[in-house]
Each structure stands twice: as C-alpha cells, then as structure tokens.
Amino acid sequence: MQLIYLVAAGGTIEKVYSEQTGTVRNADSKIERYFRLLRLPDAEIRTTHVMNKDSLEMTDADRRQVLDTVRQLLAEQPAPMIITHGTDTMVETGLLLKKELPDLRYPIVMTGAMTPLGFEGSDGLQNLTESLLAVRLLPPGIWLVIHNQVFPIDQVRKDREKAQFLPT
Amino acid sequence: MQLIYLVAAGGTIEKVYSEQTGTVRNADSKIERYFRLLRLPDAEIRTTHVMNKDSLEMTDADRRQVLDTVRQLLAEQPAPMIITHGTDTMVETGLLLKKELPDLRYPIVMTGAMTPLGFEGSDGLQNLTESLLAVRLLPPGIWLVIHNQVFPIDQVRKDREKAQFLPT
Amino acid sequence: MQLIYLVAAGGTIEKVYSEQTGTVRNADSKIERYFRLLRLPDAEIRTTHVMNKDSLEMTDADRRQVLDTVRQLLAEQPAPMIITHGTDTMVETGLLLKKELPDLRYPIVMTGAMTPLGFEGSDGLQNLTESLLAVRLLPPGIWLVIHNQVFPIDQVRKDREKAQFLPT
Amino acid sequence: MQLIYLVAAGGTIEKVYSEQTGTVRNADSKIERYFRLLRLPDAEIRTTHVMNKDSLEMTDADRRQVLDTVRQLLAEQPAPMIITHGTDTMVETGLLLKKELPDLRYPIVMTGAMTPLGFEGSDGLQNLTESLLAVRLLPPGIWLVIHNQVFPIDQVRKDREKAQFLPT
C-alpha cells in the first residue's frame, strides 16, 4: 500500500456554489468526496487541509504555511505528495517549495482545476486522477500536472485567457 | 405530438461558470442542452430565449417583455407553456402574467433552480422534468412548479434562507 | 407533508451491473439511492420492496403479491402511490390492480425504465421525477407515467422495438 | 503536440446496454465519446478500432490481429500507445506483444475497465485518464495501468473475485 499525501490549499478545484448568495466561493473542503469516486486499492491517501482560499488572495504568510505543512509531513514520514492549489499562483507557491526543499526524496505534484469539481465540464477529477498516477512515476522534485501535461515547476506558466498551462 | 412552449428568461438555472473570471453569470442559454437528456417522444418543445439575466436585475420593462413574448406565442397558437426564470422575482413576473392574461386556455408553469443546471446537487433538471409533466395535467392558469411542489402563483413565496418555496 | 408510497417490484430500473459475471441483473434495491438526488421538501416517501425480478419472470403469484402489498398499504393509510416495475409486464400487473381495486381514493402510478438507473442515457430518474409529480395531480385510478407521457392503464401498450409506450 | 495511439480491442470498457435485449454487449466503439470529457491540449489521439469483443471470446487469431495493428502503426510512426482491452485476457495479449515486439521505442499501456464507461461506479474514465498520463512517463515496454496501479505486463494477474489486478 502506497502512502500518498494530499495537501489541500483551496483554489477553484474546491469551490462550491452558494444558493444563498448565488456566488462560488471557497468554503469547506470537498476534495475527499471526489476521491471516493476513484478506485485506489493500493493507495492510502492522507489528507491535510491547510487553507481554503482563492489563490489570488494568498499572502506570503499563507505560502509559508503551506511550506511548513509540507516540511512537517515529510519529516514525519517521507512519501509522494499532491498539493491542490488555485491555478493563478500555483507556480509561485511551487517555486517557494523548490527553493526551500532542496533534498526531496519523492515528487511533489501541484494541481488544481479551471472549473470546480462537480460543475459541468470540470477538469478537477481528471487532474486529481493524473496527479495520483504521476506521483508514482515521477522522480523527486516539484512538478505541475494538469490536462495530461507534466511540467517541472520552473518551466511553466498559466495562460489565463486559454485557461491552460504552457511551457515557458 | 403535444406542442409545449419553453420561454427562457434567465436566472440561476441557466448560469454558467466562467473560467476567465472565476464567477457564475448568465451568458448564453444552455437549457436546450439539458432537454436532450430527457426522453420526450410525444412532446415538441419550441424554445424562445427572451433574456438571460439574474432575476434580481430584471426591471419592469423586462417583465413587460416576457409578457409580450408570452402573449405573442399564445396568439399564434395556444399551447401549454413553461417559463424558466430566476427564483428571486419569479412570483413577481408570474403575478403580472396572471393579471394581464385573464383568459388562458392552457397552463403556464414557472420554474427555475436554486443551483445552475449541471452543477453538483443541481435541482434544475428535476424542475424542468416536473414542469414538463405538470403542463400536461394542470388546468389553465399561472403556476409555480419546483421541488415536487405545485403552487398557484398567488399562493407562494420564496424562503431564501432555506432555498425553497413555501405556501403563503 | 404529503405521504407518497413507493412500491418497488424490480424491473430494469433497478438492475445493476455485476463485475463478477459481466451481466446486468436484479439484486438489491437501489431506488432509494436515486431518490436522494431529488429535492422533496414536502414529500414523505415510504418505500416497500416487494420483489426484485425481471418482469418477464413474474408469475401470477408475484402479481398477486404486488396486489396484496398495495391493498395492505392503502388499508393502513390511504395515500398516492408509485409502483416501479419492469416495463414488459407493467400493463398486465396494472390491469390486475385496476380490476381488484375498484374504489381507489388516490392515484396509483406505475413506472419503470428502459435503461437501469445510473447507466448512461438512463430514463430512470426522469420517470421517477415525473411519477412523483403525477401522483400529486392525477385523479384516483391506475396510471402509467413514463417519458413525459401519462396513460390510463387500459389504454397503453409497450412497443418493444422503439423502447417506448404508445396509446392503444 | 504529443501523438498518442489508442487501439480499441473491445472488452467491458466499451460495453453498452441494449434496451431491446436487456443485456450488455460489445457493439460500436464508444471510447471516443468519453475522450471528449477530458482536456488534452497537448495530445493528438489517433484511434484505431481493431475489434469489439468480450475478451473471453478472443482467439489466438484475434490476438495476432491486435499485434499486426500495433506493429503497423509503430512502423508508420513510432509513438506511445494505449490498448483498451477486456480485463480477462489482457495479460495474455500483452505477453504476446512483449514477446513479438522486443525493440520498442515507446511504452504500450494496456488498460480496460471492470464496469463499462458511463455506468454508475465505472472505473473506465479513471483508467483512460491514468493511461494517457502513464504513456508520457513510462519507459518503453508493455505495461498494465489500472486503478492507480502500474504493472510490467509479466508481473501481474487479475483477481476476478475482487475485480482488481495484483502483482504476481
């Protein structure tokens, strides 16, 4: 049984629709509900909810908090890790991790979604499924996995108009 | 084959998620895409898109426009009708129709949704399905059909906190 | 709160796919799982599982058992009722009910599905949604409700090739 | 843009429910319909339908036909490949490919499903998503990818009772 960490840091992938306000927002984490749609007989997913924010609102302190959580989990027991994060500043957080965590023994995969999990046309479950496979195959390092693409974190940027990631 | 009019006037039921802005909004009509999920061997649905607005933004002129469309369709060929509309002011528009259309020969059913069609937990397809059945069985008049409930338009109000309709 | 009986007598609507045998079959009832996808704030659904058979395998004794269950429920507390049943012999069972239950105070709606609940293209949830609305609006009697159509039980037949019901 | 071959050889993943017979069977290929649910901005999928059979009915000649198709595609233009196949004899076909194709330049990933695409609880789209990611990361060779697991084709067997694959 493969241990895989899932660190949930908010972003579009976890947004919900509020019937009272008529808006989408980050509220409680819903990612575990979607993991149950997958068959993972050989994976033990250990989920940590760090925060649930739109990534445009994340501060340097927030990114430090993600880093601290990652560091603490890997210190307890090294294992592959997925971080779900808003796509707008995913690269920024990833670059901080790359700088601060030079001696990784396993891959850390950052992913997210353009449309929230469970909304028509969502890419969320695809990206989670891909990331779960990617952490089993990638070498140590910080990666961004989305839309059937795999990027080293320092060779990728978001194209907001196209709602996709491109190599730099 | 039963002719049924579908007049689409916007509201939550037709909202879409924009990947560029990260918000839900009324854009193009998507209701016909969802009709295709239903089996309607004996119904000919004729759809008219009047507007696509959040119903809190509808003006008196907008309501008049809905009325004019309804009047024109029924003048051409009388038939049962469904109006999809934002839930916040659905009753207001319905009461205008009731006042201005005293001699209906068929029912007009107003419906909508608390969560947009195609979002997790949406009540949109349920309400469309119910309304399509209700126009076959109800007597002439203006009705509100939602969540397995049928109300005469002058005996219903929205409870916003509960996200449901209650008898007055 | 409106009491509605749901009598589940098997048929395609409840079939499941078996990964061990690679076939679809009637096993445990799954209909209540799908009711949870609907918003029914004013309905109290009381479900009774009579049997879970392909309706081509139902015997006269099976139909009697359905009749006995219906009679017993209505004797305890009269209320509208939905019977989910295989489409191939739904009319036969319905005609027995019509003959044996002459003094109904509420409608009994028979429904089912051409494709099991939860399979791509299934009509099961549509038919359940329609039936739940129909029992609120129809007069006493035995009815067949499916695909946005409403038939008195003695004026309908299944067209197997088209997978739909037609008036006789 | 990455070229990826998809060779469709039938199996449960492509089975459909027939409303006329009430059974599941292999008919036309439906796999491309499900690919459209995925975002693949950097992949060009080229699909070849070899056959659409239950894999328990595949003969040695059928397996040869799969081999010939694979060989021909790779001769024209070498590229990563996914083969969708019934799970019961997937390993057998994979071992034939391993024996007959010793000098692969790209990975060939075999996958399938325990429950057909689009049926409730199906693992089909998960397995396709994983395989599409796996062909980008795996070294040349014949692999079996399913349920977040990656096996060399000669180190895996199906456990039919559990409906999963295990290492040998």
Side-chain angles (χ1 to χ4, degrees):
Chain A
M1 188 79 87
Q2 174 70 55
L3 172 63
I4 299 173
Y5 291 114
L6 189 285
V7 173
T12 294
I13 194 169
E14 296 231 60
K15 283 192 178 165
V16 294
Y17 181 80
S18 162
E19 300 199 338
Q20 277 66 42
T21 64
T23 58
V24 289
R25 59 205 177 87
N26 286 99
D28 294 336
S29 178
K30 68 179 187 182
I31 214 158
E32 282 160 306
R33 208 158 19 94
Y34 284 86
F35 270 122
R36 287 199 291 268
L37 300 180
L38 302 177
R39 302 201 192 186
L40 307 166
D42 187 48
E44 183 202 337
I45 314 281
R46 212 173 288 173
T47 305
T48 306
H49 302 288
V50 190
M51 67 191 65
N52 200 342
K53 279 195 177 182
D54 187 304
S55 80
L56 289 173
E57 293 167 14
M58 280 177 80
T59 62
D60 284 354
D62 289 329
R63 283 181 226 290
R64 280 276 149 197
Q65 196 185 334
V66 173
L67 171 64
D68 290 346
T69 302
V70 170
R71 198 174 254 149
Q72 191 177 332
L73 290 169
L74 296 183
E76 283 167 23
Q77 183 176 354
M81 182 181 289
I82 296 165
I83 301 177
T84 54
H85 194 290
T87 55
D88 282 316
T89 70
M90 184 185 281
V91 171
E92 199 175 331
T93 302
L95 290 173
L96 175 68
L97 297 180
K98 182 179 163 67
K99 188 179 137 211
E100 299 289 336
L101 300 167
D103 297 314
L104 290 172
R105 289 170 47 194
Y106 290 95
I108 296 179
V109 165
M110 307 203 65
T111 198
M114 298 297 171
T115 286
L117 279 164
F119 287 26
E120 54 175 4
S122 174
D123 54 333
L125 197 59
Q126 173 187 348
N127 296 334
L128 283 179
T129 305
E130 289 172 0
S131 297
L132 281 164
L133 207 277
V135 289
R136 289 178 174 269
L137 298 178
L138 286 168
I142 316 286
W143 306 86
L144 194 158
V145 173
I146 196 164
H147 302 166
N148 187 241
Q149 292 176 288
V150 177
F151 302 98
I153 198 66
D154 55 0
Q155 298 172 34
V156 61
R157 67 178 178 86
K158 179 175 174 181
D159 182 318
R160 209 165 167 179
E161 206 44 53
K162 291 188 183 165
Q164 65 182 76
F165 282 86
L166 298 173
T168 50
Chain B
M1 188 79 86
Q2 174 70 57
L3 171 64
I4 299 173
Y5 291 114
L6 189 285
V7 173
T12 295
I13 195 169
E14 295 231 61
K15 282 191 178 166
V16 294
Y17 181 80
S18 162
E19 302 199 337
Q20 277 66 42
T21 63
T23 59
V24 289
R25 59 204 179 87
N26 285 99
D28 294 335
S29 179
K30 68 179 187 182
I31 214 159
E32 281 161 305
R33 209 159 16 97
Y34 284 86
F35 270 122
R36 287 199 291 268
L37 300 181
L38 301 177
R39 302 201 192 186
L40 307 166
D42 186 47
E44 182 202 339
I45 315 280
R46 213 172 289 171
T47 305
T48 307
H49 302 286
V50 190
M51 67 192 64
N52 201 343
K53 279 197 177 180
D54 186 304
S55 80
L56 289 174
E57 293 167 15
M58 279 176 82
T59 62
D60 284 352
D62 289 330
R63 281 181 229 291
R64 280 276 148 196
Q65 196 185 335
V66 173
L67 171 63
D68 291 346
T69 302
V70 170
R71 198 173 255 149
Q72 192 178 331
L73 291 169
L74 296 183
E76 283 168 22
Q77 183 177 354
M81 182 182 288
I82 296 164
I83 302 176
T84 54
H85 194 290
T87 54
D88 283 317
T89 69
M90 183 185 284
V91 171
E92 200 175 331
T93 302
L95 288 173
L96 176 68
L97 297 180
K98 181 180 164 66
K99 189 179 137 214
E100 299 287 337
L101 300 167
D103 297 314
L104 290 171
R105 290 170 48 194
Y106 290 96
I108 297 179
V109 164
M110 308 205 61
T111 198
M114 299 297 169
T115 286
L117 280 164
F119 287 28
E120 54 175 4
S122 174
D123 53 335
L125 197 58
Q126 174 187 346
N127 297 334
L128 283 179
T129 305
E130 290 173 359
S131 297
L132 281 163
L133 207 277
V135 290
R136 289 178 173 269
L137 298 178
L138 285 169
I142 315 287
W143 306 86
L144 193 158
V145 173
I146 196 165
H147 302 167
N148 187 240
Q149 293 176 286
V150 178
F151 302 97
I153 196 67
D154 55 1
Q155 298 172 33
V156 61
R157 68 179 178 83
K158 179 175 174 181
D159 182 318
R160 208 165 167 179
E161 206 42 55
K162 291 186 180 165
Q164 65 182 76
F165 282 86
L166 298 173
T168 50
Chain C
M1 189 78 87
Q2 174 69 56
L3 172 63
I4 299 173
Y5 291 114
L6 188 287
V7 174
T12 295
I13 194 168
E14 295 231 62
K15 282 191 178 168
V16 294
Y17 182 79
S18 163
E19 301 199 338
Q20 278 66 42
T21 63
T23 58
V24 289
R25 58 203 178 90
N26 286 98
D28 294 336
S29 178
K30 69 180 187 181
I31 214 158
E32 282 162 304
R33 210 159 16 96
Y34 284 86
F35 270 121
R36 287 199 291 268
L37 300 180
L38 301 176
R39 301 201 194 187
L40 306 167
D42 186 47
E44 182 203 337
I45 314 279
R46 213 171 288 171
T47 305
T48 307
H49 301 288
V50 190
M51 67 192 65
N52 202 342
K53 278 196 178 181
D54 187 304
S55 80
L56 288 174
E57 293 168 14
M58 280 176 82
T59 62
D60 284 353
D62 290 329
R63 283 181 227 289
R64 282 274 149 195
Q65 196 186 335
V66 174
L67 170 64
D68 291 346
T69 302
V70 171
R71 197 173 255 150
Q72 191 178 332
L73 291 169
L74 296 183
E76 283 167 21
Q77 183 176 355
M81 181 182 288
I82 296 165
I83 301 176
T84 53
H85 193 291
T87 55
D88 283 316
T89 69
M90 184 185 284
V91 172
E92 198 175 334
T93 302
L95 289 173
L96 175 69
L97 297 179
K98 182 179 163 65
K99 189 180 138 211
E100 299 288 337
L101 300 167
D103 297 314
L104 289 171
R105 289 169 50 192
Y106 290 96
I108 296 178
V109 164
M110 307 204 63
T111 198
M114 298 297 171
T115 286
L117 280 164
F119 287 27
E120 54 174 5
S122 175
D123 54 336
L125 197 58
Q126 173 187 347
N127 296 335
L128 283 178
T129 305
E130 290 173 357
S131 297
L132 281 163
L133 207 278
V135 289
R136 287 177 174 271
L137 298 178
L138 285 169
I142 315 287
W143 305 86
L144 193 158
V145 173
I146 196 163
H147 302 165
N148 187 240
Q149 294 175 287
V150 177
F151 302 98
I153 198 66
D154 54 1
Q155 298 172 33
V156 61
R157 67 177 178 85
K158 180 175 174 182
D159 182 318
R160 208 164 168 180
E161 204 44 52
K162 291 186 182 166
Q164 65 182 76
F165 282 86
L166 299 173
T168 50
Chain D
M1 188 79 84
Q2 174 69 56
L3 171 64
I4 299 174
Y5 291 115
L6 188 287
V7 174
T12 294
I13 195 168
E14 294 232 61
K15 282 191 178 166
V16 294
Y17 181 79
S18 162
E19 300 199 340
Q20 277 65 43
T21 62
T23 58
V24 289
R25 59 205 177 88
N26 286 98
D28 293 336
S29 179
K30 67 179 189 182
I31 214 157
E32 281 161 305
R33 207 157 20 94
Y34 285 86
F35 269 121
R36 288 199 291 268
L37 301 180
L38 301 176
R39 302 201 194 188
L40 306 167
D42 186 48
E44 182 202 338
I45 314 280
R46 212 171 289 172
T47 305
T48 307
H49 302 287
V50 190
M51 67 191 66
N52 201 343
K53 278 197 179 181
D54 186 305
S55 80
L56 288 174
E57 292 167 14
M58 281 176 80
T59 61
D60 283 355
D62 290 329
R63 284 181 225 290
R64 280 276 149 195
Q65 196 186 334
V66 174
L67 171 63
D68 290 346
T69 302
V70 170
R71 198 174 255 148
Q72 190 177 334
L73 290 169
L74 297 183
E76 284 166 23
Q77 183 176 355
M81 181 180 290
I82 296 166
I83 302 176
T84 54
H85 193 292
T87 54
D88 283 316
T89 69
M90 183 185 283
V91 172
E92 199 174 332
T93 302
L95 289 173
L96 175 69
L97 297 179
K98 182 178 162 68
K99 189 180 138 212
E100 299 288 336
L101 301 166
D103 297 314
L104 290 171
R105 288 170 48 194
Y106 290 96
I108 296 178
V109 164
M110 307 202 66
T111 197
M114 298 297 170
T115 287
L117 279 163
F119 288 26
E120 53 175 4
S122 174
D123 54 332
L125 197 58
Q126 173 186 346
N127 297 335
L128 283 178
T129 305
E130 290 172 359
S131 297
L132 281 163
L133 207 278
V135 288
R136 288 178 174 271
L137 298 178
L138 286 168
I142 316 286
W143 306 85
L144 193 158
V145 173
I146 197 164
H147 302 165
N148 187 240
Q149 292 177 287
V150 177
F151 302 98
I153 198 65
D154 55 0
Q155 298 172 34
V156 60
R157 67 177 178 85
K158 179 175 175 183
D159 182 318
R160 210 167 166 179
E161 205 44 53
K162 291 186 181 165
Q164 67 181 74
F165 282 85
L166 298 172
T168 49

